Amino acid sequence: SFLLALARGVGETMAVSIAAGNRPQVTLNPLEEIQTMTGFVINVMKSDVPIGSIEEKSIYSVALLLFLMTLVMNVISQIVLRRYREVYQ
């Protein structure tokens, strides 16, 4: 299950990266390239990150936010699934 989750995460990140680009500039224009959250973590982790630095804290903050967003989406999908599930007898 771990390998499946890892492969799924990498695959989804690559699709979003292809669609969104990989420019680390924040903009409100939906037609310009942006950087994904996972892409940010990967780009920051490429270099040596000192312990306790703002870069290290930002990596963990972005990863935690990404995890929480995924968790919330899964919880909402489970609620919708339970509510609208058809039971066959």
Side-chain angles (χ1 to χ4, degrees):
S1 65
F2 176 75
L3 291 176
L4 179 62
L6 183 64
R8 184 175 176 193
V10 168
E12 290 174 0
T13 300
M14 291 304 127
V16 172
S17 293
I18 290 170
N22 195 25
R23 187 170 52 162
Q25 181 178 358
V26 178
T27 180
L28 294 177
N29 185 0
L31 301 176
E32 289 191 26
E33 294 180 338
I34 58 170
Q35 187 174 35
T36 62
M37 295 169 72
T38 309
F40 170 77
V41 172
I42 291 169
N43 283 339
V44 173
M45 287 298 291
K46 284 182 182 176
S47 61
D48 290 332
V49 179
I51 296 175
S53 66
I54 200 77
E55 289 89 6
E56 182 197 25
K57 292 176 183 176
S58 67
I59 290 171
Y60 287 114
S61 299
V62 169
L64 180 64
L65 180 63
L66 189 59
F67 172 75
L68 291 175
M69 288 170 51
T70 306
L71 180 66
V72 167
M73 287 190 298
N74 282 326
V75 168
I76 290 172
S77 68
Q78 287 297 319
I79 292 169
V80 169
L81 183 68
R82 283 191 200 126
R83 183 174 182 138
Y84 295 106
R85 178 181 294 170
E86 293 184 21
V87 179
Y88 299 103
Q89 294 184 16

